[in-house]
Amino acid sequence: MRCSVCGAPAQVEVRRRNQAFCPEHYRAWFVNEVRRNLKRHQMIRKGDRVLVAVSGGKDSLVLWDTLTGLGYRTTGFHIQLGIGDYSKRALAATRAFAEERGLELLVVDVRESFGLTIPQLAQSTGRAACSGCGLSKRYLMNRVAADEGYGVVATGHNLDDEAATLMGNVSRWQTDALVRQGPLLEEREGLARRIKPLYTLTEREVAAYAFLAGIEYQHEECPHAEGAKSLLYKDILNRLETRMPGTKQAFLVQYLKKVQPVLKEGLAGGDVELRRCERCGQVTTGSVCAHCKLWDRAYARAKKRRLLLESRGFDPRPKVDRLKPASEA
Ligand code: AMP
Ligand code: FES
Ligand code: ZN
Ligand code: ZN
């Protein structure tokens, strides 16, 4: 196999495009895909400050690498979930990346801020770790972006993630989620714009980029393995992809292009009114947001189990640690 650009021996094949690349041209192809996604949806606009949500895994580190490479001024944001060694290694990979490149990184430790780790939150609410975890991550991304003045939050969701989410939503016809899903969620009062610049690139393509760019990332998955469900959808999609290259992308991109607009129009008027949470001030549909409700419930049980002092009330303000690049420190 030869590189489609220069004819040198190819190292990465992109079957769905019938192309193969040498390392140099693969990286150029990948960055160009990201650039096109940013442009197509005007994800980042003039004067935007971008907060990149970085887990320490390959997707978000590759995202951070490509955005800085394209010249955007970005700050990383890592949420320390307190899931044992898994979380420690995630922070270590994120810090090492930031320090090596002289990038600013914000860190919020869930336990330092709110008193419980994600596993303790799960124990105290009796809900699966992933559901409280997802809710806390969303809350913190929005909250820290608003408090620190970032208009855009970028996440590392790739094509496999997005196609699996779509399949999950379709299998139960979750119309609310289907209408909202997409690579760009415009800012609304008090909520930063949310962007997913890697949404057309497969997990395998992201991994190949990470390898060729020498990015050291955390390989292990969260031990609470985000439900077998999303992994099952990914597996099904990969089997389709092997037989029919391009299926994954067509499934997602054609949905966004052809079906979602019709669905949106058909459901028009269903927009819910947004208010401010009485407790934390974040945007919500009820009087108290889901995040405050969840933590209030967890506090009640955690106190009974003596995980928390009886006198401690839930304070929704996160404590942000700022790791400045060495040159500015
Ligand atoms: P996941 O839901 O774990 O597949 O992660 C999707 C995206 O959310 C990642 O690509 C990151 O951009 C972001 N993310 C996940 N976990 C964290 C974390 N602990 N801290 C900051 N961002 C995260
Ligand atoms: Fe959130 Fe696993 S429970 S990353
Ligand atoms: Zn080449
Ligand atoms: Zn709230």
Side-chain angles (χ1 to χ4, degrees), residues 15-16 25 28 32 38 99 102 122 134 143 163 210-211 222 235 247 265-266 269 280 284 293 295:
R15 262 184 78 203
R16 65 196 177 104
H25 287 122
N32 201 42
L38 291 165
E99 277 165 13
R143 172 89 198 213
F211 175 75
C222 167
D235 182 44
T247 302
E265 207 170 295
C280 70
T284 176
K293 277 188 196 154
W295 279 89

Side-chain angles (χ1 to χ4, degrees), residues 3 6 22 25:
C3 172
C6 70
C22 69
H25 287 122

Side-chain angles (χ1 to χ4, degrees), residues 28 33 51 62 120 172 183 229 304 320:
E33 288 293 305
L51 193 63
V62 164
Q120 288 173 333
R172 289 169 182 268
K229 253 193 273 163
K304 276 195 200 131
V320 180

Side-chain angles (χ1 to χ4, degrees), residues 75 79 82 90 121 148 238 243 255 261 298 309:
T75 298
I79 303 165
L121 171 71
E148 304 283 328
N238 279 333
R243 290 277 295 275
Y255 164 73
L309 290 177

Side-chain angles (χ1 to χ4, degrees), residues 145-167:
D147 289 357
E148 304 283 328
Y150 291 87
V152 185
V153 176
T155 55
H157 294 91
N158 60 38
L159 175 56
D160 294 50
D161 297 327
E162 292 300 287
T165 302
L166 176 60
M167 188 174 265

